[in-house]
Amino acid sequence: MKAAGILTLIGCLVTGAESKIYTRCKLAKIFSRAGLDNYWGFSLGNWICMAYYESGYNTTAQRVLDDGSIDYGIFQINSFTWCRHGKLRENNHCHVACSALITDDLTDAIICAKKIVKETQGMNYWQGWKKHCEGRDLSDWKKGCEVS
Ligand SMILES: *[C@@H]1O[C@H](CO)[C@@H](O)[C@H](O)[C@H]1NC(C)=O
């Protein structure tokens, strides 16, 4: 029963809505305007690098994990702790529907990402960031973009 439900769910995800892939510089602008540059001390490059390795800048990216929870959107935010997916038992720390984290409007995803950084005291939540971005010179990530 549970397995069938999950299979149906995966089917829905695969045939889901059209995806939008942001360009690096468009994201840099959106992130900068949303106050992510140096948020909790993390420069803009950290955010652009993290989004790249988590989602490839794909706003509709979704990944089903072994425990049945799902990572959502450009920041791959997980349904178990951070958003409300509806069926699974969740904590929903961001007080947001997971579906709001896979829209082209990144407002809710950014608010939630800020909360994650604040509550977990850093960007270690993101494996892609830890593996590829942490402690590196990230200035190239905003190179050529019209952000300060
Ligand atoms: C973006 O993610 C969605 C959902 O996982 C996927 O269907 C789509 O193919 C991805 N787009 C690209 C260009 O990779």
Side-chain angles (χ1 to χ4, degrees), residues 13-14 19 21 58 60-62:
L13 297 181
V14 170
S19 59
I21 314 294
N58 186 345
T60 58
Q62 292 176 37

Side-chain angles (χ1 to χ4, degrees), residues 7-77:
L7 284 179
T8 309
L9 179 64
I10 292 169
C12 291
L13 297 181
V14 170
T15 55
E18 270 178 58
S19 59
K20 177 173 174 102
I21 314 294
Y22 273 104
T23 64
R24 182 175 58 84
C25 282
K26 178 70 187 171
L27 268 191
K29 262 182 222 170
I30 293 171
F31 287 180
S32 176
R33 267 190 223 126
L36 281 182
D37 192 8
N38 282 324
Y39 183 81
W40 209 261
F42 293 101
S43 68
L44 197 54
N46 283 282
W47 296 95
I48 304 168
C49 182
M50 179 270 273
Y52 177 79
Y53 285 107
E54 291 294 335
S55 67
Y57 306 149
N58 186 345
T59 59
T60 58
Q62 292 176 37
R63 191 187 303 131
V64 182
L65 307 188
D66 290 341
D67 65 2
S69 67
I70 301 172
D71 285 346
Y72 284 91
I74 200 146
F75 301 131
Q76 289 292 281
I77 292 173

